[in-house]
Amino acid sequence: MLKIQSVSRMEYAAMLKEEDARYFLNQDPRFGEMKESEGQKVLYLLFQEDERTVGFALVAYYSYKRVLLTARCTYGPVLLEDISPSSYETFMTLLRKEVFYSPRVRMFRLQPFLPDNRYEDVTTVEENVSAEYAAVLERIGYQRVMEDPYVNTSYPPNFVYTKNIEGLDEAEVLEAITPALRYRMRKAERDGIRVHMLTGSDIEEYIRLEQELAGTRAYTGIPDAAFYHDLQKFMGKDVYFPAAYIDCEKTLQCFGEQLAELDAERAELDARYADKPQAKKYKNSVRALEEIRQRIEKNIGRVQNLSEEKGNIINVYYGCFVRIGRDMICLTLAGRKEYGFLDGGSAIHEHMLGESARRKVTYYNLYGCSGRTDKEAMDFGVLKYKRSFDGRFEDVLGSYEIK
């Protein structure tokens, strides 16, 4: 027998823990608690077949034109196991009846989550097994919405980019990413960039920066300050606010050591080519060393100016991560352009990859992508960086609405 059971938040949370389910933030019971604290109605639903839970959904209601409501099930419903398209049709029909409990509910929006392993990096390598389920939704009245989340940010991205790190320790995680990203992390360390966790009132600095930069990015669907405050309140030890910082004195010392290494390399090069100073390889090598020296000297000047303006300890990059079920999700990263010569983002990712390994996380989740890989895509540069983690796309069925 197929049925949908409405349960309490505590019963829903217990089921997720028992099933070791895979889900994202908007399907977490603590997200439901956040919404309830704002006075919103939340449904916690279990899809059951012969008394066995085979799926679940968290549905939150939002005010619309003061007296009406819209319902959202973001990155859900989630299936725990494969079920037949006919069973899926029954469940989604029952879900519609549960959600439209009152004439006040005018619209239901959802992003059914049916994760599969059909991508290798960004390339499809297996048949789209979700196609039959998508056909079911359209047959029973759910309409696919073809909105670009980078244009209309009320719709979440239909793609995420994830790295499976199951069973890897801290050292193995770093070996599992691309050499290019590993080099960037090592360089950040050599430049004296370190990471600490923001707590208390220090988090306000990050929140202000997020709001300041919200209109300057490809994806502008950045949460408001209240969302970050709620994360602190309800997510507890599972929310992280890492900040990459420099101690200007130590960073200047690091740059000085790099210049000394260049001098030693140049002396060795001069000695090796003492009898053939016109050699092309020698001239090219000297030119390359000089270019590196000029970049380092320029960075020394930048850090000296920053030290005079802002003091010795400066946060240069910020992030917000949340541990949800089997995923460590990177919700946002932010830094001002004036600190762009310091790769704080890579330093934060190295730190959080290590934390993910320590906490036995299965997926390091870099979160939303447009799904496009062409150079004209608004998130092309961001996706290029995400791909350096050597992970893969995952997608949902898409965004659907029913009225």
Side-chain angles (χ1 to χ4, degrees):
M1 178 180 177
L2 306 177
K3 66 178 181 178
I4 289 184
Q5 181 182 5
S6 180
V7 298
S8 70
R9 175 163 41 84
M10 298 301 292
E11 290 172 314
Y12 180 82
M15 180 279 300
L16 294 179
K17 184 175 181 180
E18 180 180 348
E19 296 289 346
D20 189 27
R22 174 99 191 278
Y23 55 96
F24 295 165
L25 174 63
N26 301 76
Q27 295 298 305
D28 191 285
R30 292 167 295 182
F31 178 82
E33 188 177 7
M34 286 167 56
K35 296 293 122 182
E36 289 170 339
S37 74
E38 298 168 3
Q40 296 175 222
K41 178 180 176 63
V42 178
L43 294 180
Y44 303 93
L45 305 172
L46 305 184
F47 293 18
Q48 296 185 323
E49 184 173 9
D50 299 327
E51 303 304 319
R52 189 178 76 260
T53 299
V54 297
F56 56 92
L58 186 158
V59 180
Y61 288 84
Y62 297 80
S63 294
Y64 173 64
K65 293 185 177 180
R66 299 184 66 179
V67 297
L68 302 178
L69 296 171
T70 63
R72 297 180 191 174
C73 184
T74 305
Y75 292 128
V78 180
L79 292 185
L80 292 169
E81 58 183 69
D82 291 336
I83 62 175
S84 69
S86 62
S87 294
Y88 191 66
E89 180 172 344
T90 300
F91 280 129
M92 298 307 290
T93 301
L94 293 172
L95 177 63
R96 180 176 59 194
K97 293 178 180 178
E98 286 281 345
V99 170
F100 286 94
Y101 72 95
S102 163
R104 292 177 59 212
V105 182
R106 306 310 299 268
M107 186 267 287
F108 178 33
R109 179 182 298 168
L110 62 161
Q111 286 80 31
F113 186 46
L114 304 173
D116 55 53
N117 296 313
R118 67 191 189 93
Y119 287 96
E120 184 175 303
D121 187 27
V122 298
T123 304
T124 305
V125 294
E126 294 182 13
E127 181 183 356
N128 185 356
V129 297
S130 303
E132 288 183 280
Y133 296 97
V136 164
L137 289 175
E138 296 191 14
R139 185 165 62 247
I140 60 177
Y142 291 88
Q143 299 297 314
R144 177 76 183 266
V145 181
M146 305 302 291
E147 289 281 354
D148 184 342
Y150 282 76
V151 176
N152 186 343
T153 57
S154 66
Y155 293 87
N158 291 327
F159 287 79
V160 297
Y161 195 88
T162 61
K163 172 70 176 179
N164 189 324
I165 61 171
E166 186 173 17
L168 302 182
D169 63 26
E170 295 175 58
E172 290 168 337
V173 163
L174 295 181
E175 287 301 314
I177 60 179
T178 62
L181 180 56
R182 198 160 50 245
Y183 171 82
R184 290 184 64 162
M185 292 175 174
R186 295 284 75 81
K187 184 178 185 305
E189 185 177 355
R190 289 187 70 225
D191 288 348
I193 303 174
R194 301 294 182 264
V195 175
H196 61 175
M197 290 295 161
L198 299 179
T199 58
S201 60
D202 290 340
I203 295 174
E204 297 300 319
E205 180 182 348
Y206 165 71
I207 294 173
R208 286 193 299 272
L209 177 63
E210 277 289 358
Q211 306 313 305
E212 176 187 325
L213 299 180
T216 67
R217 297 167 167 170
Y219 181 70
T220 58
I222 303 300
D224 59 18
F227 173 79
Y228 292 109
H229 292 146
D230 283 346
L231 281 181
Q232 289 178 266
K233 180 178 180 180
F234 293 102
M235 302 305 296
K237 63 180 177 61
D238 285 332
V239 64
Y240 300 81
F241 291 93
Y245 74 96
I246 58 169
D247 176 319
C248 291
E249 290 182 4
K250 291 182 179 179
T251 292
L252 289 172
Q253 181 180 342
C254 289
F255 286 148
E257 291 170 355
Q258 292 174 30
L259 288 178
E261 291 172 5
L262 284 179
D263 289 340
E265 191 173 348
R266 173 63 188 270
E268 180 182 345
L269 195 64
D270 289 343
R272 192 187 316 156
Y273 288 92
D275 58 343
K276 41 185 175 181
Q278 300 304 315
K280 184 177 181 180
K281 186 174 182 179
Y282 171 72
K283 289 183 176 182
N284 289 341
S285 298
V286 169
R287 186 182 304 111
L289 291 177
E290 185 58 30
E291 289 175 355
I292 295 172
R293 168 176 283 280
Q294 289 174 5
R295 284 198 298 270
I296 295 173
E297 290 175 343
K298 185 176 182 179
N299 289 343
I300 287 174
R302 287 167 165 167
V303 173
Q304 288 172 336
N305 290 337
L306 288 173
S307 178
E308 292 173 2
E309 295 172 8
K310 303 179 183 296
N312 191 51
I313 304 296
I314 303 173
N315 290 326
V316 299
Y317 222 87
Y318 303 83
C320 178
F321 290 69
V322 60
R323 166 76 185 275
I324 299 292
R326 297 163 64 190
D327 288 57
M328 179 69 81
I329 300 175
C330 175
L331 289 180
T332 53
L333 282 176
R336 290 189 174 87
K337 284 186 177 181
E338 62 185 307
Y339 306 138
F341 67 101
L342 298 164
D343 195 355
S346 293
I348 287 175
H349 277 302
E350 179 178 10
H351 184 92
M352 293 308 300
L353 279 168
E355 176 66 13
S356 299
R358 289 189 292 272
R359 294 199 61 181
K360 309 301 181 185
V361 165
T362 301
Y363 298 97
Y364 192 74
N365 192 331
L366 296 155
Y367 228 34
C369 305
S370 69
R372 293 175 54 184
T373 59
D374 57 282
K375 292 184 178 180
E376 286 69 40
M378 294 181 70
D379 65 334
F380 176 77
V382 175
L383 178 59
K384 183 178 180 180
Y385 182 78
K386 290 179 179 181
R387 292 178 68 185
S388 66
F389 287 80
D390 198 19
R392 64 180 177 88
F393 269 161
E394 291 185 78
D395 60 354
V396 297
L397 279 180
S399 292
Y400 288 83
E401 291 179 354
I402 189 167
K403 298 178 181 180

